[in-house]
Amino acid sequence: MCGIVGYVGPQACADILVDGLRRLEYRGYDSAGLAVFDGKRTGVVRAVGKLQNLVTALKEKPLPGSLGIGHTRWATHGRPTEVNAHPHCSGEIALVHNGIIENHIELKRHLAEEGVKFASDTDTEIVAHLIHREAKTGDDLLGAVRRALGHVHGAYAVAVMDARQPDRIVVAKNASPLVIGFGEGEMFCASDIPAILPYTKRMLPLEEGEIGVLTESGLELYTLDGKRVDRQPKTITWSASQAEKGGFKHFMLKEINEQPRAIEDTIRGRVDLAAGDVIESELGIDAETAKSLKRVYFIACGTSHHATLYGRFLMEHIAKVPSQTELASEFIGRDPVVGEGDLVVAVSQSGETLDTLAALKVAKEKGARILAVANVIDSAIPRAAHGAFYTHAGPEIGVASTKCFTTQLAAMVLLAVFLGRRRGTLEKERAQEILQNFVEIPNQMRTVLALDDIIRDLARPLAQAKSALFLGRGVSYPIAVEGALKLKEISYIHAEGYAAGEMKHGPIALIDADMPVIAVMPDDKAYEKIASNVQEAKAREGHVLAVATRHNADIGGIAHNAIYVPKVDPVLSPFVTALPLQLLSYFVADFKGTDVDQPRNLAKTVTVE
Ligand code: F6R
């Protein structure tokens, strides 16, 4: 999600900034821009699309100068257009930002009341105006940025220039990454190490709530409340490709580990804990529509389809509306009975999947209201829908979806609470409880990720298997089918995901000592039932690995091995049970030496039928 690069020093910096942005391309972007101070004023060039478009624009309008900031934008607020691209300016201030400003609506209203005119639809431009307003009081840039950020809630990494103080860049960080590079008589900042690794190996990642001033002579670092910080840079020994993966062996492993952050970003600014409600202006569903809904249809493919199975569970459980999930390719192959009064939720990480788009069009023609859940702003599926809800997973490079999947699960929770509150099926107190537990989920996910060594050991024998059976019930059924898909797509081991209750209606015939059984059985009302299904598998010599809650002390007598996840609100357990299965598949594939990030025959965006 968004890339930042900044430079202050003796060299002409436009090429350094573009080069840095190129090394951040893996983060995904849809527009890019630079601001460079030329000795008199700050020039800005921005372009939509690939960096090459920015390079072409820079040929027409070169930006000489040795103080500059650059940005690649992954659109979240406002379409990917030139006016929405960064840097954003207000008076002498130029700013680049990575993150999401939660209270942007309120801040924008205040600024508009003060007469500020906005050039873009972005949350970022608001911060530029806030800094400009503070800088008018004559204080230095550091003080102005600090005071402006005092009004801002949300996630940000910013780099700010002021043409009246052209020897410095002010940087600050809260929840979005920013690293400082120390050169000889020159300083850099960037969203990630690879951007500036060719120029310096001495780096200092900023910590939460830090603000600093970069000048040719170094970094002055403070906390946002003004205390001086004294930390020294470290020498980075990673290669450029290791640095791109954040030191992880594969993008998939990096993305698995990014999930707590991705969920935080997807929730940020969308829940009102005091009201027990979900704030969402992009859904395009008013209270009347929510109340009169006849049915919710989910359409999706692959992993996104598995997220919708959870969506159906929540829709019935929380919003009490009849719901069904449809594989998009099957939906278009039939003559589905769908129309006015139905809400069709099309879920797609890429936002471009042809089958999902075709299904959406069929439903739209028949008069249904369409809501898209997508990770790529302004992609085909949200464009074709009446409303869009964006997950904020950031770009996913590994072909096997991980963080996009769990952020889709998060979207399902938010949508169900949103509808439940408007339909009067979810009491305020229960909504508050669900949402409070939900905002705590990223930390529970972090404790699961810390089990990676245990999961790696459990994966080793699984790498020898020819086939595996994943079982789940109720809220865990979608996780079982997704667990099986992950294993098969990256390790090429045949795997089936099954509703545990169905086992005795067929798959039990397959069970013997060579068939590992992975049972997703957190502590919920399905526990006793799935425990007996597992006993049935064990009685036929199936080797059982349970993903369970430590609380269930009897699990030792039921399964051969267990991965223990924290106890969470039962409706939210998929967030903690999905992770061990992703890690398990990852380690199995890594033991087998397959191409984890680009499994054979698979594509990240499927634009064919
Ligand atoms: C599997 C995976 C695929 C996609 C499917 C739909 O890990 O990623 O199954 O989920 O191709 O793609 P989107 O979500 O882009 O519509």
Side-chain angles (χ1 to χ4, degrees):
M1 253 190 186
C2 298
I4 289 177
V5 185
Y7 176 85
V8 49
Q11 302 189 56
C13 67
D15 287 350
I16 296 174
L17 298 175
V18 171
D19 182 49
L21 294 178
R22 201 160 264 137
R23 290 169 208 283
L24 294 178
E25 277 191 304
Y26 73 89
R27 295 168 70 84
Y29 67 102
D30 38 51
S31 55
L34 298 189
V36 178
F37 180 73
D38 68 4
K40 286 201 181 88
R41 51 179 286 282
T42 300
V44 175
V45 173
R46 302 179 293 186
V48 175
K50 290 287 149 200
L51 271 175
Q52 191 48 45
N53 300 347
L54 179 67
V55 172
T56 308
L58 283 166
K59 286 207 176 95
E60 276 169 35
K61 186 186 168 191
L63 291 179
S66 59
L67 172 80
I69 51 180
H71 189 265
T72 43
R73 174 170 186 254
W74 165 270
T76 56
H77 293 79
R79 300 183 52 216
T81 58
E82 195 179 320
V83 283
N84 287 337
H86 301 209
H88 286 284
C89 298
S90 180
E92 310 290 297
I93 301 293
L95 163 127
V96 289
H97 162 230
N98 171 22
I100 297 165
I101 307 301
E102 275 178 44
N103 55 337
H104 65 104
I105 296 174
E106 181 194 329
L107 291 173
K108 191 167 184 173
R109 199 181 51 242
H110 287 314
L111 286 166
E113 280 162 11
E114 290 170 19
V116 173
K117 298 271 178 284
F118 294 90
S120 76
D121 304 321
T122 63
D123 50 346
T124 301
E125 189 192 343
I126 294 162
V127 186
H129 291 306
L130 286 175
I131 297 171
H132 179 234
R133 185 179 72 180
E134 297 298 335
K136 274 186 193 158
T137 60
D139 197 357
D140 68 358
L141 182 60
L142 177 70
V145 175
R146 181 188 287 131
R147 283 196 302 279
L149 291 177
H151 298 285
V152 168
H153 303 156
Y156 54 77
V158 291
V160 190
M161 293 163 46
D162 183 341
R164 291 160 300 191
Q165 296 170 55
D167 63 337
R168 63 195 52 209
I169 296 174
V170 171
V171 290
K173 169 200 154 62
N174 184 44
S176 298
L178 200 67
V179 60
I180 308 301
F182 292 67
E184 295 300 325
E186 57 186 359
M187 293 290 288
F188 305 81
C189 64
S191 296
D192 203 355
I193 290 168
I196 48 179
L197 200 57
Y199 304 99
T200 177
K201 300 225 174 302
R202 291 171 60 232
M203 309 256 185
L204 182 72
L206 289 192
E207 290 185 355
E208 300 314 329
E210 286 184 342
I211 183 165
V213 186
L214 303 182
T215 58
E216 281 185 13
S217 46
L219 168 74
E220 268 176 40
L221 192 59
Y222 300 88
T223 59
L224 273 171
D225 51 17
K227 293 193 198 78
R228 186 73 196 243
V229 177
D230 189 17
R231 283 190 298 115
Q232 295 309 310
K234 294 191 182 83
T235 301
I236 301 294
T237 52
W238 293 344
S239 68
S241 120
Q242 276 173 317
E244 242 186 27
K245 294 178 190 135
F248 290 101
K249 189 169 174 189
H250 294 99
F251 279 110
M252 182 181 176
L253 188 57
K254 174 172 180 264
E255 287 157 3
I256 289 174
N257 279 279
E258 280 171 355
Q259 289 177 103
R261 197 271 310 142
I263 301 290
E264 280 164 355
D265 284 351
T266 300
I267 300 176
R268 181 168 287 116
R270 285 170 161 164
V271 299
D272 180 343
L273 291 176
D277 206 354
V278 169
I279 315 151
E280 190 43 74
S281 49
E282 309 147 56
L283 290 175
I285 304 170
D286 56 27
E288 255 339 285
T289 312
K291 267 195 211 117
S292 58
L293 278 184
K294 286 203 296 223
R295 184 173 40 169
V296 176
Y297 254 113
F298 290 99
I299 48 175
C301 305
T303 288
S304 299
H305 169 66
H306 298 154
T308 69
L309 295 172
Y310 178 55
R312 177 181 65 185
F313 177 93
L314 294 174
M315 223 34 87
E316 292 174 348
H317 184 73
I318 292 178
K320 308 284 181 223
V321 54
S323 299
Q324 65 195 79
T325 53
E326 295 279 350
L327 289 164
S329 54
E330 286 298 308
F331 186 84
I332 44 181
R334 304 201 313 267
D335 190 10
V337 182
V338 61
E340 260 180 58
D342 292 335
L343 173 67
V344 170
V345 186
V347 180
S348 168
Q349 55 84 21
S350 64
E352 298 288 347
T353 302
L354 196 68
D355 284 334
T356 309
L357 185 60
L360 178 162
K361 286 180 180 160
V362 168
K364 198 172 170 187
E365 264 164 33
K366 289 176 179 253
R369 173 145 216 97
I370 315 289
L371 172 67
V373 174
N375 196 46
V376 181
I377 201 164
D378 230 21
S379 47
I381 290 171
R383 275 205 317 270
H386 297 111
F389 186 99
Y390 289 104
T391 51
H392 294 310
E396 194 173 62
I397 311 278
V399 167
S401 183
T402 52
K403 61 177 181 170
C404 280
F405 173 63
T406 47
T407 53
Q408 287 169 343
L409 299 182
M412 298 296 115
V413 174
L414 295 170
L415 181 60
V417 172
F418 178 87
L419 291 179
R421 293 293 285 133
R422 272 141 202 84
R423 291 169 62 78
T425 55
L426 179 65
E427 294 298 325
K428 180 179 171 188
E429 291 69 30
R430 177 63 182 136
Q432 284 171 321
E433 189 180 47
I434 294 175
L435 293 175
Q436 182 58 47
N437 291 337
F438 190 34
V439 297
E440 288 166 16
I441 279 288
N443 277 339
Q444 317 273 26
M445 294 170 89
R446 289 187 175 97
T447 66
V448 179
L449 293 171
L451 303 175
D452 58 347
D453 283 345
I454 296 171
I455 298 172
R456 185 190 292 110
D457 288 347
L458 292 167
R460 202 179 293 273
L462 203 58
Q464 312 307 321
K466 293 267 174 298
S467 207
L469 186 62
F470 287 71
L471 300 178
R473 263 182 186 263
V475 74
S476 300
Y477 168 63
I479 301 307
V481 284
E482 172 59 10
L485 179 64
K486 283 286 93 82
L487 186 69
K488 72 181 96 165
E489 65 183 335
I490 60 168
S491 74
Y492 316 144
I493 293 174
H494 168 252
E496 290 278 357
Y498 244 84
E502 274 291 292
M503 193 181 69
K504 56 181 147 318
H505 300 290
I508 199 164
L510 292 170
I511 292 179
D512 62 15
D514 295 326
M515 173 67 94
V517 176
I518 294 106
V520 189
M521 45 193 302
D523 186 20
D524 60 21
K525 66 178 189 191
Y527 179 78
E528 297 298 334
K529 283 199 165 67
I530 190 166
S532 18
N533 300 134
V534 165
Q535 297 281 22
E536 287 155 15
K538 214 173 150 193
R540 284 152 186 89
E541 296 190 12
H543 194 275
V544 180
L545 167 63
V547 175
T549 315
R550 182 168 296 283
H551 180 79
N552 295 114
D554 60 342
I555 199 80
I558 298 175
H560 295 92
N561 297 104
I563 301 168
Y564 292 110
V565 296
K567 185 164 173 53
V568 297
D569 190 319
V571 298
L572 301 175
S573 68
F575 292 93
V576 289
T577 54
L579 269 49
L581 300 191
Q582 294 170 346
L583 283 169
L584 198 67
S585 299
Y586 169 77
F587 288 125
V588 169
D590 194 35
F591 283 133
K592 293 192 73 176
T594 58
D595 187 346
V596 172
D597 284 333
Q598 291 193 321
R600 67 186 181 205
N601 308 338
L602 294 179
K604 189 75 191 156
T605 304
V606 185
T607 49
V608 288
E609 272 189 329

